[in-house]
Amino acid sequence: MPLRGDGRLNHDLMPGEKGPQDACGVFGVWAPGEEVAKLAYFGLYALQHRGQESAGIATSNGEQILVYKDMGLVSQVFDETALNALTGHIAVGHCRYSTTGGVTWENAQPTLGATASGTVALGHNGNLTNSAELVNLVAERYGAQRRGELARGNTTDTALITALFAGDADRTLEATVLEVLPRLRGAFSLVFMDESTLYAARDPQGVRPLVLGRLERGWVVASETPALDIVGASYVRDVEPGELICIDADGMRSVRFAQAERAACVFEYVYLARPDNTINGRSVHSARVEMGRILAREHPVEADLVIPTPESGTPAAVGYAAESGIPFGQGLTKNAYVGRTFIQPSDTLRQLGIRLKLNPLREVIKGKRLVVVDDSIVRGNTQRALIRMLREAGAAEVHVRISSPPVKWPCFYGIDFASRAELIANGLAVDEIGQSLGADSLGYITTEGMIAATEQPSSQLCAACFTGKYPIELPPDDQLGKHLLEQAELPLGQPEDGLKQLAVSTGGSTALDHP
């Protein structure tokens, strides 16, 4: 008698189960004569996987800055009317997943702030670790009353950076930025602009990726190389850790504000980045295939078929199959049209075991000994439900192989994992995790094997979520946390930054007021 589904499914099968949440996506373009807002739109579209909570674009025509942002996906926030209103030759775009500050319209980016000579619009990928210190620095320099974005309810570390960029009356924005950037700790890949110049900066560790590209009539900076590809820009190079890039009518120039102390996030190679991305010269897809090959050598098993968990497990599954000689197959089919859904199924539908995203190909897996390859295990709910589904469909054995080591530590540099208490690897040994999931066997790649697949020196990678060794010093626990600035005791005040350069028109009015 076949087993019936119990409806207790996970985020790959049903909504509601949160896995590792990506950082954010940033995009900037300087291109006179081009429709820069539309270039930014398509660049953000290519970076949508990095953040799905809100999206925004700011543009400048050399005299004024327009901005449009709202909650939702890039395709939900923008239409032709909004994009046509965002005129100019410089644009900065952002798609957000929140790592500091709640999921609110006020926290959407780009942020806006006054400078000594105009306005700055800023997008940030990463997470600062010294926000509490920066709160005090803002108060020390500009008074305890909140100003600008902070006064309008923005509770992100990005708003602190924007406030610090205000500077003094006798200093340029570039001079102010070069003084502020060395004061920031943690991960930051920044793309920002004033009325005439596009800027990009990356923290000294280079935790989050940032690349520079060339258009026929301009320049592009973006979180990942696919965003260059989609707008027809050629890849020039990575923005270096500790580097500030400035692009204006006089061309592109580079200034170093700190010496590089490379500690790039290894989880970008495992999961976060698109497979068609290239990070520091290494193809992400090739790295993931190699992780699968190494995993097959480290954890061989007799089986009939290797299948991936779509889509993130596919490259590693290809590598595992190639190395092991076990045939590769598609044992699961994915509904390509299911995105984020906020409609919760009824109890009746849950009891029927509705599967919104994945469904097994029964004729492929029935009676087979399966190797199921996935990129990571966080809470374990995803894999537990998947294994149950495969057994219901007739799989004879289910052997799980994971192309990253056990996740045991939280990330403070821009990824929102579950808490330590929720991470399944903290409470159970590997064989106990396998039993908990209902797998016949479980194997994780070693940290050494994962790093070898990236072809990067281990000394230049951050693997803190696997090892607990943080390359950037952390402050006390009470100075960390997603909602730190919502609890800060800095008095709220009225906006006093005089955003005189902000033009309010169709597509620009949402800069200061929710639509």
Side-chain angles (χ1 to χ4, degrees), residues 128-404:
L128 301 184
T129 57
N130 66 331
S131 291
E133 175 187 323
L134 298 177
V135 167
N136 294 329
L137 183 59
V138 170
E140 173 189 321
R141 291 189 173 183
Y142 305 112
Q145 189 175 49
R146 293 195 182 194
R147 308 160 72 249
E149 291 275 356
L150 294 170
R152 288 188 288 274
N154 192 317
T155 57
T156 68
D157 48 357
T158 312
L160 292 174
I161 301 172
T162 308
L164 289 170
F165 281 179
D168 302 320
D170 59 345
R171 306 186 76 187
T172 64
L173 175 59
E174 183 176 334
T176 299
V177 166
L178 288 172
E179 190 272 327
V180 169
L181 292 179
R183 304 291 296 265
L184 308 181
R185 298 287 180 270
F188 58 91
S189 285
L190 305 177
V191 176
F192 56 101
M193 67 179 185
D194 59 15
E195 283 78 3
S196 61
T197 307
L198 175 68
Y199 300 90
R202 198 172 175 206
D203 62 80
Q205 287 73 29
V207 177
R208 300 279 149 236
L210 193 63
V211 295
L212 175 68
R214 193 77 166 97
L215 288 168
E216 184 178 350
R217 294 192 289 180
W219 297 86
V220 176
V221 285
S223 292
E224 298 187 21
T225 56
L228 304 183
D229 299 336
I230 200 172
V231 299
S234 57
Y235 169 81
V236 175
R237 62 176 176 85
D238 286 20
V239 177
E240 290 295 311
E243 181 184 24
L244 171 68
I245 285 177
C246 313
I247 300 168
D248 58 19
D250 294 326
M252 191 274 287
R253 63 186 184 279
S254 169
V255 184
R256 181 162 291 283
F257 65 87
Q259 289 301 308
E261 301 173 5
R262 292 182 181 273
C265 173
V266 73
F267 208 67
E268 293 278 356
Y269 292 94
V270 172
Y271 172 78
L272 291 183
R274 280 176 46 152
D276 51 344
N277 189 29
T278 299
I279 304 176
N280 202 30
R282 177 58 164 161
S283 158
V284 171
H285 178 267
S286 297
R288 291 175 185 171
V289 171
E290 183 61 21
M291 287 174 195
R293 288 183 174 275
I294 293 170
L295 188 55
R297 295 196 292 269
E298 292 181 345
H299 295 284
V301 66
E302 291 188 9
D304 305 307
L305 192 67
V306 176
I307 68 170
T309 300
E311 299 290 335
S312 57
T314 300
V318 168
Y320 193 103
E323 185 70 20
S324 66
I326 302 170
F328 172 88
Q330 294 287 354
L332 296 161
T333 183
K334 184 175 182 179
N335 182 352
Y337 298 97
V338 173
R340 299 201 321 159
T341 176
F342 301 97
I343 307 301
Q344 296 298 316
S346 66
D347 289 341
T348 300
L349 290 174
R350 286 186 182 278
Q351 289 164 9
L352 290 173
I354 181 174
R355 287 144 184 169
L356 293 180
K357 291 190 177 181
L358 295 177
N359 211 35
L361 294 168
R362 297 175 186 274
E363 68 277 10
V364 173
I365 64 179
K366 186 176 182 181
K368 300 284 179 58
R369 297 171 297 172
L370 303 177
V371 177
V372 181
V373 181
D374 207 346
D375 58 81
S376 59
I377 300 178
V378 180
R379 292 180 178 87
N381 296 336
T382 299
Q383 290 78 14
R384 188 176 295 112
L386 181 62
I387 291 167
R388 185 186 306 120
M389 181 199 296
L390 293 171
R391 292 200 187 280
E392 290 170 7
E397 297 176 11
V398 180
H399 301 275
V400 176
R401 296 294 180 266
I402 305 298
S403 59
S404 64

Side-chain angles (χ1 to χ4, degrees), residues 2-65:
L3 296 172
R4 288 180 61 82
D6 63 7
R8 292 180 297 174
L9 303 178
N10 63 86
H11 77 290
D12 269 334
L13 317 172
M14 301 264 301
E17 173 67 18
K18 189 179 79 170
Q21 299 297 310
D22 300 8
C24 301
V26 292
F27 184 90
V29 56
W30 189 95
E34 300 286 353
E35 294 183 280
V36 291
K38 290 187 177 179
L39 292 177
Y41 172 85
F42 288 112
L44 293 180
Y45 200 87
L47 299 172
Q48 184 72 87
H49 61 289
R50 299 187 70 85
Q52 298 91 42
E53 292 178 354
S54 65
I57 295 173
T59 60
S60 172
N61 62 5
E63 297 180 355
Q64 60 187 16
I65 288 178

Side-chain angles (χ1 to χ4, degrees), residues 410-486:
C411 175
F412 298 103
Y413 309 136
I415 310 173
D416 192 13
F417 281 117
S419 67
R420 278 209 79 196
E422 295 175 292
L423 295 171
I424 191 171
N426 275 325
L428 301 172
V430 172
D431 58 344
E432 293 173 324
I433 296 172
Q435 293 171 13
S436 171
L437 301 180
D440 291 284
S441 70
L442 170 64
Y444 291 91
I445 196 172
T446 60
T447 302
E448 294 76 16
M450 172 188 64
I451 290 175
T454 70
E455 296 185 350
Q456 309 297 312
S458 60
S459 61
Q460 296 185 9
L461 290 173
C462 173
C465 54
F466 306 117
T467 65
K469 297 177 181 178
Y470 294 95
I472 305 170
E473 185 178 357
L474 300 176
D477 289 346
D478 62 355
Q479 295 181 23
L480 290 168
K482 182 170 181 174
H483 302 289
L484 175 70
L485 298 188
E486 292 160 17

Side-chain angles (χ1 to χ4, degrees), residues 72-89:
L73 303 176
V74 175
S75 60
Q76 295 169 327
V77 170
F78 296 101
D79 57 21
E80 289 279 352
T81 300
L83 292 173
N84 288 336
L86 292 169
T87 58
H89 67 283

Side-chain angles (χ1 to χ4, degrees), residues 87-156:
T87 58
H89 67 283
I90 314 175
V92 168
H94 188 271
C95 54
R96 181 176 189 248
Y97 175 78
S98 53
T99 50
T100 294
V103 186
T104 64
W105 180 86
E106 289 76 12
N107 288 343
Q109 297 181 34
T111 56
L112 281 174
T115 69
S117 59
T119 311
V120 63
L122 185 146
H124 172 205
N125 173 208
N127 196 55
L128 301 184
T129 57
N130 66 331
S131 291
E133 175 187 323
L134 298 177
V135 167
N136 294 329
L137 183 59
V138 170
E140 173 189 321
R141 291 189 173 183
Y142 305 112
Q145 189 175 49
R146 293 195 182 194
R147 308 160 72 249
E149 291 275 356
L150 294 170
R152 288 188 288 274
N154 192 317
T155 57
T156 68

